[in-house]
Structures are given as structure tokens and as C-alpha cells.
């Protein structure tokens, strides 16, 4: 039986696999013309041709040097196609494939499919305005500029040439009647269309023009087929998927069921060591996929999910492709957590109380300069996180995201304040998972209860107020995505039960429905006078709110204050 289709194979590597696939095509009486990249050594090329010598209807075309994005790939396709047309007059469809292509279905099904569509050209062909898939490349400019340098081998010179042409406004004229189209390199054209392209008297003009187009293998046949074809079906019969960087997906052994599901005739790129795929598909008709319409769209959802996973990753888990890029994360952290500022200073034993009330793991000041204050005094936490502040501060942001990732499933709460490492302020503020509760000015309570010299207190208070003020600017920024609640100290102690209940409700796993017992507030007798003394010394303590000298829950109490050292 004489096949009505022929295959042109462009080969540059994994010649053993190319031989295997070529034999599979030839076994179905399909003629094959192979082009071997001129970059392949003469010794390797001769061994390859010798190995194929026993296979009928397999020819080798004139060799060209093929480099990505250059004219050599088109020249190779032209030479091999001309040899196919001249040597096999019965061929009615020419299928362009690569050495890494793998037939997924019985060859006779593809032959029958093309025979039922004798005048249809299968070639992805869209105008530049309708092409959404160019990644990091040029659209219209690839047709109006000259590209004398290789993008891969001489990237600096390539970019420089583009820049100069843009500055000087240099543009080439397109041949008359040509409307640039782009699409997949892998096509299947009828003999009539392909011969019209290759035998056109205007071909030298077209070849000169496209030889200076960038990536001409994605535009030469795609454009010229529109001049001669009577029926173009703008799609490729070859399953070829690309990632978000424009690089082709490589299929491995574990993609077997995925490829079966596609119902496509041919797929690329196949990993040359995917023995299972080659064994599964290069088989007889009984073991191959059953006859059905090719539908690569059936697996598009899976590829889209793979691209999303690669580019966005999992929430709170950073990877190489996103780590250096600010705001590329798919969720800053993996789970919700709470940060409290000023509460442990205003309430006695606040951390044990919050743990008992919510069941959450409540840490102290995780970003304290002296050590990482893990809950219950632990020195290490899930994921081998150390309480060593030097280890933490090497990358404080990563420390937080790792802590939340390693403890997901359990709510984490921690204390924070102006004495802590401030590197995480923006990270927490921009995290939708963060619940931030702040009592401004509460950092003054430990100073108030200390026995330090007042000159030292004033100096420290001025520094802490400046740090906290800058933090409040961050939390009030329009870029903040965390759930933030801010109270001045005077406002909070006026009615502390309502804010505390709101905090418990927001955590959502409170062990008690309503507050039956609030944490005990520290003795603030004389705190108003303390603030006045700061004012008298020339400092303006404004973050505490309106705090009269007589103010304080124990203003009339004669209970003496206990010394409290600054952390």
C-alpha cells in the first residue's frame, strides 16, 4: 500500500530515538525524509545513516546548521520538503515533525484522518495582533527589524542591535501582499500548498525577507500558506505545550496517562530516556489508543494548573522561581495567625490567658533581640527552627513564613513591639493571613514600672515612640492587607472587655463563648503623672492617647508599684 502522507523529520540529538520513530513511520509504509542538523558530527551522522540503510523509503536531505530563532531551521524544512515532493509523487500530505516527536496513535489512523480531509492544511496561523503566546519576545518588530545576531549565542549584541534600530527608527518593508502570521513550527500541509510555497517565482524575495525575521520557523510557512491554501485549519496536529517562559514542556514516563487522554496523533517533546512512553506508543494498532478526534484541550486544564503551581506555588511556601521576586508569592503565609502589640505589657500573664481562652499556641516576642521566645520556653520548634536570634535575623521574613508553614493546622499567636526586630513589619502588614492587634504606647508601661534613671527612661521612650510611630504608618498604609485593629492605650483601658472579646471571636476557635474572666491589668497608678514627667522633660508622648494625670484604673489605690525591668 502506498501511503498518502509523508513525514519530514528534523533531527539534532538523541539519534537513537529518532531512528526508532522513523522505523515506526516506515513500518506503516510512510515515506520519511530526515534532516540532521549540521552541528552533528560527521562520524555520528554517518553512523546514523548507516543504521537506517535497511529501512525502505527513508531519505536524508541536504544538511543545514540549525540554531533556535534563525533561518537555518526554515532552510532545513524547505530542503527536506523539496526532497519529499520530488521523490514521492503519491504523497498528498507532508507532516513536519522533530526527532523528539512521538506518534501516540496508530499511523493508519492519521493517514485515514488526512485522507478524509484531502484539501485541508493543518497549520497554526494567526496574525500578530491575535497571538497571545509570545513570551519575552517581539511581535510586529520581528518582521520589521533585522536580526544579524543570535539571541542565544550573542544576547548582548542582539539586544544592542534591536535598541539601535528602535532609536534610529529603522524598519524593513514587508513584501507586497504579505500579511505576517505566526504559529507553531509543527505543521501538516497538503502537497498543493507546500509545492506552491516552494515553487513560487517570488520565493527568492520571500526567502530574503524571512531570513532576517526573528524565529522565522514560526512565521514563514504560517504566513505563506495563507497565500496559497484553499482551506486552513489553524491548529497543529502535534501536541506541543509551552510553559510561562515560552519553553516547551518535556513529557516523561509519568505523563503516560496524560498523553493517552489527549487523543492526539503526535506529541513533543518526549524525554529521550522515557522508555515507558516509547514502549507504550510505538506498538501495534491493538495496543495503541483508540480512534477519536484529537482534542489537546482535554488536558489544557492540567497544564494550566501546572503553570500556576510553578509560577505561584503553594500559599506560604517559597521556591526558586519566586523567592527573589518581591510580591510574587501566592499568599505570603500558609495559614492565619495573630500578632499582638502592647498586650503583654498591659496585662499580667497575657500569654497563658490567651492560650487557655483560644487553644492557640501563644508565643512571646518571637523577634526579641535577646532570643526567640517560643511558647512554653521551647528552644526549637517545628521544622528545626532555633531560638537563636542570629539564625532568625539572617532572614527574619523567611523565619516567619517557615514558622507558619511548619505549624499549619494550629493557630499561632505572638507578641511584638518596638524593641523587636522591625524587618518583618511590612511582611506582616501585607499578609492577608495576619490579624494584627495593637495598643499604642503600651511599651511605656515597662519603663513606668522600672527603676531606671529618668533621663535614660526619656531617651528610651523617645526612641521606642519613634519606632512604633513608623510601624503605625506601615499598618495604616494603603498597601496593608492584614486585618488591623489599633487602639491607643487610653482608649483601650477605658473599656477593655469589648476589644478582647472581638479578638477572641476573630481567632474563631475560642474555648469560651463570652469572656467570663479577663486577664489582669497591671497596676497603672501614677502612670498619668509619669507621662506628664516625660512632657516636662521635653518629650511628647502622644501614642498613649489622652491620659490625664489622675487617670488609671487604680488611681485611688495605695498599692505600691513593683519594679519591672525593660526587656
Amino acid at each position: 500500500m502506498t501511503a498518502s502522507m509523508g513525514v519530514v523529520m528534523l533531527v539534532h540529538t538523541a539519534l537513537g530515538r529518532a531512528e526508532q520513530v522513523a522505523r515506526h513511520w516506515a513500518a506503516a509504509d510512510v515515506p520519511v525524509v530526515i534532516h540532521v542538523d549540521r552541528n552533528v558530527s560527521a562520524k555520528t551522522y554517518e553512523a546514523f545513516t548507516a543504521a537506517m540503510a535497511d529501512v525502505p523509503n527513508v531519505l536524508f536531505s541536504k544538511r543545514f546548521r540549525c540554531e533556535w530563532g534563525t533561518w537555518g531551521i526554515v532552510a532545513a524544512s524547505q530542503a527536506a520538503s523539496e526532497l519529499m515532493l520530488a521523490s514521492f509523487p503519491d504523497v498528498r500530505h507532508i507532516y513536519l515533525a522533530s526527532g523528539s516527536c512521538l506518534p501516540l496513535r496508530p499511523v493508519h489512523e492519521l493517514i485515514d484522518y488526512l485522507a478524509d480531509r484531502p484539501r485541508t492544511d493543518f497549520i497554526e496561523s494567526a496574525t500578530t495582533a491575535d497571538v497571545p503566546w509570545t513570551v519575552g519576545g517581539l511581535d510586529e518588530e520581528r518582521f520589521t527589524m533585522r536580526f544579524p545576531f543570535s539571541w542565544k549565542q550573542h544576547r548582548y549584541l542582539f539586544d544592542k542591535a534591536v535598541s539601535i534600530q528602535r532609536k534610529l527608527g529603522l524598519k524593513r518593508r514587508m513584501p507586497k501582499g504579505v500579511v505576517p502570521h505566526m504559529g507553531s513550527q509543527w505543521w501538516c500541509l497538503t502537497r498543493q500548498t507546500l509545492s506552491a510555497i516552494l515553487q513560487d517565482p517570488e520565493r527568492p524575495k520571500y526567502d530574503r525577507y524571512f531570513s532576517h525575521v526573528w524565529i522565522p520557523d514560526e512565521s514563514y510557512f504560517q504566513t505563506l500558506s495563507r497565500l496559497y491554501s484553499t482551506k486552513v485549519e489553524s491548529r497543529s496536529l502535534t501536541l506541543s505545550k509551552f510553559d510561562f517562559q515560552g519553553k516547551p514542556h518535556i513529557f516523561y514516563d509519568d505523563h503516560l496517562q496524560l498523553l493517552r487522554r489527549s487523543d492526539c496523533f503526535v506529541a513533543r517533546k518526549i524525554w529521550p530516556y522515557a522508555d515507558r512512553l516509547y514502549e507504550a506508543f510505538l506498538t501495534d494498532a491493538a495496543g495503541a489508543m483508540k480512534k477519536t478526534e484529537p482534542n489537546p484541550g482535554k488536558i489544557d486544564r492540567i497544564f494550566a494548573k501546572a503553570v500556576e503551581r510553578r509560577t505561584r506555588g503553594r500559599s506560604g511556601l517559597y521556591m526558586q522561581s519566586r523567592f527573589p521576586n518581591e510580591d510574587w508569592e501566592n499568599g505570603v503565609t500558609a495559614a492565619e495567625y495573630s500578632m499582638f502589640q502592647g498586650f503583654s505589657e498591659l496585662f499580667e500573664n497575657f500569654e497563658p490567658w490567651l492560650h487557655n481562652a483560644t487553644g492557640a499556641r501563644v508565643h512571646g516576642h518571637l523577634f526579641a533581640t535577646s532570643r526567640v521566645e517560643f511558647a512554653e520556653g521551647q528552644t526549637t520548634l517545628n521544622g528545626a527552627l532555633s531560638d537563636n536570634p542570629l539564625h532568625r535575623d539572617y532572614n527574619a521574613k523567611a523565619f516567619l513564613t517557615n514558622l507558619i508553614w511548619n505549624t499549619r493546622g494550629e493557630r499561632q499567636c505572638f507578641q511584638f513591639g518596638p524593641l523587636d526586630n522591625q524587618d518583618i513589619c511590612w511582611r506582616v502588614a501585607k499578609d492577608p493571613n495576619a490579624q494584627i492587634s495593637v495598643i499604642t504606647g503600651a511599651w511605656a508601661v515597662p519603663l513606668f514600672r522600672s527603676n531606671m534613671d529618668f533621663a535614660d527612661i526619656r531617651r528610651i521612650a523617645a526612641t521606642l515612640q519613634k519606632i512604633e510611630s513608623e510601624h503605625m504608618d506601615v499598618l495604616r498604609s494603603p498597601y496593608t492587607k492584614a486585618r488591623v485593629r489599633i487602639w491607643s492605650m487610653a482608649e483601650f483601658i477605658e473599656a477593655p472587655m469589648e476589644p478582647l472579646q472581638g479578638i477572641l471571636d476573630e481567632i474563631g476557635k475560642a474555648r469560651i463563648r463570652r469572656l467570663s474572666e479577663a486577664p489582669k491589668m497591671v497596676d497603672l497608678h501614677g502612670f498619668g503623672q509619669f507621662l506628664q514627667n516625660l512632657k516636662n522633660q521635653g518629650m511628647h508622648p502622644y501614642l498613649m492617647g489622652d491620659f490625664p494625670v489622675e487617670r488609671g484604673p487604680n488611681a485611688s489605690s495605695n498599692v505600691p508599684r513593683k519594679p519591672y525591668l525593660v526587656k
Side-chain angles (χ1 to χ4, degrees), residues 7 30 207 434 534 550:
V7 174
V30 172
D207 286 5
L534 289 176
E550 301 80 16

Side-chain angles (χ1 to χ4, degrees), residues 314-318 332-337 361 363 374 378 380-386 395 397-412:
R314 287 174 282 178
S315 296
L317 186 63
Y318 290 76
V332 181
T333 51
E336 295 184 340
Y337 61 96
R361 185 181 298 196
H363 305 279
F374 289 129
Q378 298 177 80
T380 57
L381 200 68
N382 307 38
L385 293 177
S386 168
N395 191 333
K397 298 174 184 177
F399 174 86
L400 175 62
T401 53
N402 285 336
L403 184 145
I404 302 303
W405 174 265
N406 293 331
T407 58
R408 59 194 185 279
E410 178 185 40
R411 180 74 174 227
Q412 303 298 306

Side-chain angles (χ1 to χ4, degrees), residues 25 79 204 404 490 536:
W25 289 116
I404 302 303
N536 295 341

Side-chain angles (χ1 to χ4, degrees), residues 123 125 217 407 500 565:
I123 180 167
S125 174
D217 53 288
T407 58
L500 288 173
L565 298 178

Side-chain angles (χ1 to χ4, degrees), residues 93 117-123 189-190 192-194 196 224-233:
H93 271 96
R117 299 158 180 82
R119 300 184 67 83
T120 302
D121 293 291
F122 296 92
I123 180 167
L189 296 177
T190 62
Q192 177 177 325
T193 300
L194 185 57
L224 297 182
S225 62
R226 290 290 181 175
L227 299 179
Y228 310 107
S229 178
T230 58
K231 184 178 181 181
V232 171
E233 192 156 327

Side-chain angles (χ1 to χ4, degrees), residues 128-129 131 133-135 137-144 180 182 214:
T128 55
V131 171
W133 59 78
T134 53
V135 178
L138 307 168
D139 293 331
E140 291 185 5
E141 288 181 321
R142 69 175 65 195
F143 297 102
T144 60
M182 297 169 59
W214 190 43

